Amino acid sequence: MSFPTIPATNSGFDTANLTSRTVNLPAGIAPNDLLLVFFANDDASVTSSVSGGGWTTGFSDITTASAGRLSCFHRIATGSEGSSITVLTTDVEAGAWTCYRVAGSDIDTAPAFSVNVSGTTTNPNPPNFDPVGWGTEDTLWFAVTAADAGATATVYPSGYTLNQLTAGWVNAAGFAISSAARQLAASSDNPGTFTITALEQTATFTMAIRPANLIASSVYQLRARKTNIVYV
C-alpha cells in the first residue's frame, strides 16, 4: 500500500445569503479520484445538497446553539464531472467550502467519519478516531472544523500540515470552514486542536481515507491484460 495523495484543492465562501452557489472543484480530475467537498452554512436548521445528485452526504451535523451546520459531500470521479458543482441550501444563508481531489484511495471503501464535537470555543478539537473495518494502513486523515461569523483557522492540529485550507465571510451572517490533512500509518488518530480567530460556535470532526488495495488493483490489471491477449 501507499498513502493517498492530494494533487489539487480549491476553496471559497459566500459574501451574501443565498440558496444556490457555484463551487469550483479542484483541477485535473481523473477517473477514480475521490472528490471531497466540505461545506458549512449558517443556521443549523438549513441543510445543503449538491444539485443534480451523484454525490453522497457522508457527514452532516450542527454547531452549538444551532448556529450552523457542517457537511461533507463525496464521490468517486468518472472524469465527466466538469469544473464546478452547484451547492444548494434550503434557505437563504451564507456558506463556505473547501474541496480536495484525492488520488490513490480505495474506491470500494467510503470515507469514514468520527462523531461531531461541537462547542463554543477558540480551539475546536477534532476527536480521536478509529475507523471500523481496517487496522494500521497508510491512511490519509483529515481534521475539519466550521465556525460561526467567519472565524477562520490560524493554527491547525499538530501534524496536519498537508493542504491547510480556511475560508469564511467575516460577518455576523457569515460562516467559516477550515480543514487540513496528514498521512499517517496508524489504526487511529487523535488530532490536536485548531485555533480560530474568535470565540464562536463550532462543529468539528476527524475523517479517514483508506489507501488503495494494490493487490486487488494488480489482479484487476492482470485480468485486463489477459483479456486482450491474441493467440495466433
Side-chain angles (χ1 to χ4, degrees):
M1 289 180 291
S2 59
F3 289 104
T5 61
I6 303 171
T9 64
N10 217 326
S11 61
F13 59 93
D14 297 328
T15 56
N17 290 327
L18 306 170
T19 58
S20 176
R21 72 278 298 148
T22 299
V23 171
N24 291 321
L25 297 173
I29 296 171
N32 293 332
D33 284 346
L34 172 64
L35 304 180
L36 302 170
V37 176
F38 302 117
F39 185 84
N41 60 266
D42 207 24
D43 189 346
S45 67
V46 174
T47 59
S48 58
S49 62
V50 178
S51 177
W55 293 73
T56 298
T57 302
F59 181 94
S60 183
D61 215 327
I62 66 174
T63 68
T64 45
S66 297
R69 180 174 292 274
L70 173 59
S71 303
C72 176
F73 311 115
H74 62 85
R75 70 173 292 164
I76 298 298
T78 63
S80 60
E81 285 74 17
S83 61
S84 66
I85 57 174
T86 300
V87 175
L88 308 174
T89 44
T90 54
D91 204 348
V92 284
E93 295 293 352
W97 54 90
T98 59
C99 310
Y100 293 80
R101 177 167 72 87
V102 177
S105 71
D106 183 354
I107 64 173
D108 295 318
T109 303
F113 299 88
S114 73
V115 298
N116 178 44
V117 174
S118 61
T120 300
T121 181
T122 56
N123 296 114
N125 189 6
N128 181 64
F129 184 44
D130 183 356
V132 175
W134 77 81
T136 300
E137 300 184 19
D138 291 342
T139 302
L140 181 66
W141 303 86
F142 282 87
V144 184
T145 192
D148 198 13
T152 53
T154 57
V155 177
Y156 292 81
S158 177
Y160 281 74
T161 58
L162 298 177
N163 303 97
Q164 297 174 342
L165 298 176
T166 190
W169 181 26
V170 183
N171 187 287
F175 224 76
I177 191 164
S178 304
S179 54
R182 76 177 302 186
Q183 296 170 326
L184 181 67
S187 60
S188 65
D189 193 38
N190 188 7
T193 60
F194 289 88
T195 299
I196 59 175
T197 53
L199 180 71
E200 290 295 349
Q201 293 78 31
T202 64
T204 308
F205 66 82
T206 307
M207 187 182 76
I209 304 297
R210 196 174 195 179
N213 185 331
L214 296 185
I215 295 176
S217 176
S218 297
V219 169
Y220 174 82
Q221 291 177 21
L222 286 171
R223 287 175 177 170
R225 290 172 185 166
K226 185 177 179 181
T227 301
N228 292 327
I229 293 175
V230 177
Y231 295 95
V232 295

